[in-house]
Amino acid sequence: MADQAPDGQGLRAALSTLDGPPRFLLLSSFLIPLGSFMVLPFMSVFLHERLGMGLGTVGVVLAVASLVQFSGGIVGGALADRIGLRRTMLWALIIRTAGFVGLLLALRWPPLAVGALVLTCCGAALYLPANKAYLVHGVDDERRPAFLSAGNAALNAGMAVGPLIAGPFVLSSPGWLFVAVTTLFVLVTAGHARLPDAKGEREQGREAGGRGLLAGPAVLPFAANALAFYLYFHFQHFLAVYAVERASSAFYSLILLLCFTLVIVVQPLASGLIRRMPYATALTVGFTGLAAGLAVLAIGTRPALLAGGTLITLGDIVLFLKNDLEALRRSPRSDAVVFGRQRLAAGLGACASGVLGGQLYGLTEHTGHTGWFWLLAAAQCLLLPPLLLALRTGKAQHPHPLTDHGEGALRAHDTDGRVPGR
């Protein structure tokens, strides 16, 4: 039985069943963020120094782009439900390729840069729900965590390698960089045009078409995902300012590389364990890891920065994968709609973190004790999840989340009763 096999062997056995289209999607899951992160992490520098935009304007542009990229996933899921997974991915890549062409043209006419950036984010929003849904379409529950974690590993690998390749060229030779990225996206788009349609997907889309996007028992994974991203993005948004001040930009890059590596290596190996973990346990482990990591960051030394980043990453490895698996199990909607809804939750959480966390960091910086920012964020990791569970339990028919089988229920195994391919 797969449940009784060691996680490493179970992962290899699951991935060995991949045929041509899923293998191509995993390769694309590396190549697409590779190309994107050759450009996007440097957009603040590019817009400010190369195109002459003020930092205030740059901040607004990046905030809008991030919100579109995350929250637009719910539109991508609905579109995939209507026109199919392959067509949605294809149109998303065409839109994103057009965005990179726009960035190239912006070297001649700078006002194009804002629209081009938003266009690339629209493409990303449309693509990811359909990509994940195609990857796990028709796959049984035991292999789904392995496929999803392998996709996440490929995604993080591309995100890690892209900035390393592009760093020396983004300001000195941006034109050639944009040409290279555009060419990469043209080739990936051509590959997606040759993918077969996912059998039976349209019937599922019509079956669930009348239900509200945010209705039903998957509200708890949605809310938990929003909360997880809200707390995690305290680290994502504000570590750069905190770490560069206490160490260096190179050391900050080392922390990010460590975090990417952990996701690439640990999540696929732990995917079977995360699948078998009761949902309440996964939430406890994940949020406790975030709390511990954020608290350690308050120390401010280089070892503390590395240790804090490690604990936070291990916590988000559990939370992000488990919330997706639980949302798939609870929702009768198609996979693409579920993944789009989870992306919306991520966008709302990340946006709230930027707004509220920014105010909080500014207050602690004004007092000269920014370590308190991380301690207050850690306290939220311990206080907000029980409040969330209490609110959800109060709305359920039965008051006990570990035994309730209604909305907001926390069952021992999140895969029981799940219909493969839905």
Side-chain angles (χ1 to χ4, degrees):
M1 296 289 291
D3 278 355
Q4 296 171 337
D7 287 329
Q9 295 181 16
L11 173 66
R12 287 191 295 270
L15 296 183
S16 66
T17 63
L18 285 170
D19 54 12
R23 286 180 184 272
F24 174 76
L25 279 190
L26 285 180
L27 177 61
S28 299
S29 295
F30 170 76
L31 293 177
I32 290 173
L34 172 71
S36 299
F37 272 69
M38 289 171 68
V39 175
L40 298 183
F42 304 101
M43 284 309 299
S44 59
V45 179
F46 177 76
L47 293 174
H48 178 57
E49 296 189 12
R50 184 79 185 193
L51 302 184
M53 291 186 182
L55 286 175
T57 303
V58 169
V60 172
V61 170
L62 295 181
V64 171
S66 298
L67 187 61
V68 168
Q69 181 166 341
F70 277 102
S71 302
I74 197 166
V75 178
L79 182 64
D81 229 19
R82 181 171 294 273
I83 70 172
L85 301 177
R86 185 186 68 86
R87 289 184 180 180
T88 300
M89 289 189 290
L90 196 57
W91 278 110
L93 288 170
I94 291 172
I95 292 170
R96 205 164 192 189
T97 303
F100 285 111
V101 172
L103 289 175
L104 178 62
L105 297 177
L107 294 173
R108 294 283 185 177
W109 192 40
L112 273 178
V114 175
L117 176 60
V118 173
L119 204 59
T120 64
C121 293
C122 288
L126 296 177
Y127 179 81
L128 193 60
N131 169 275
K132 284 188 170 184
Y134 194 107
L135 187 63
V136 300
H137 182 76
V139 174
D140 61 73
D141 291 332
E142 290 186 358
R143 293 183 298 156
R144 283 190 163 213
F147 282 30
L148 285 176
S149 59
N152 290 338
L155 178 74
N156 280 270
M159 292 165 62
V161 175
L164 297 177
I165 295 175
F169 310 107
V170 69
L171 291 179
S172 62
S173 305
W176 287 109
L177 179 64
F178 293 156
V179 168
V181 172
T182 302
T183 302
L184 174 63
F185 270 83
V186 168
L187 294 175
V188 171
T189 302
H192 278 70
R194 297 177 61 85
L195 288 174
D197 287 322
K199 295 180 180 179
E201 57 176 318
R202 290 189 182 86
E203 287 77 2
Q204 292 174 9
R206 285 200 297 264
E207 180 184 341
R211 298 177 182 137
L213 287 173
L214 296 178
V219 173
L220 179 57
F222 177 89
N225 209 46
L227 181 58
F229 271 85
Y230 163 72
L231 295 168
Y232 171 74
F233 264 76
H234 283 68
F235 169 76
Q236 187 79 6
H237 283 315
F238 304 108
L239 180 66
V241 179
Y242 185 76
V244 170
E245 183 180 278
R246 285 157 179 77
S248 66
S249 57
F251 192 80
Y252 169 66
S253 299
L254 177 63
I255 297 172
L256 293 184
L257 184 60
L258 171 65
C259 295
F260 282 130
T261 302
L262 285 173
V263 176
I264 294 166
V265 174
V266 174
Q267 191 177 71
L269 293 176
S271 60
L273 175 62
I274 295 171
R275 180 185 70 84
R276 296 188 296 270
M277 191 180 295
Y279 191 35
T281 302
L283 293 180
T284 301
V285 170
F287 284 117
T288 301
L290 288 181
L294 290 167
V296 169
L297 289 180
I299 300 173
T301 63
R302 291 191 175 205
L305 294 174
L306 288 172
T310 298
L311 290 169
I312 289 168
T313 303
L314 293 175
D316 82 61
I317 283 173
V318 175
L319 285 173
F320 297 163
L321 179 58
K322 190 64 174 182
N323 279 327
D324 277 354
L325 292 172
E326 184 70 7
L328 287 170
R329 181 191 70 82
R330 289 169 180 254
S331 177
R333 300 301 305 271
S334 69
D335 293 344
V337 169
V338 172
F339 287 127
R341 179 166 49 191
Q342 291 301 95
R343 289 286 289 179
L344 172 62
L348 295 175
C351 184
S353 179
V355 174
L356 301 178
Q359 297 297 319
L360 183 58
Y361 194 92
L363 289 174
T364 58
E365 186 179 44
H366 183 71
T367 65
H369 297 88
T370 49
W372 280 102
F373 169 79
W374 304 107
L375 293 176
L376 292 171
Q380 293 180 74
C381 292
L382 299 177
L383 296 176
L384 294 180
L387 179 62
L388 172 67
L389 290 177
L391 290 175
R392 294 304 306 150
T393 303
K395 294 180 181 180
Q397 183 177 359
H398 301 289
H400 298 293
L402 294 179
T403 58
D404 183 15
H405 289 261
E407 184 178 354
L410 299 179
R411 299 184 189 178
H413 296 287
D414 66 327
T415 55
D416 292 345
R418 178 81 177 125
V419 180
R422 291 292 304 277

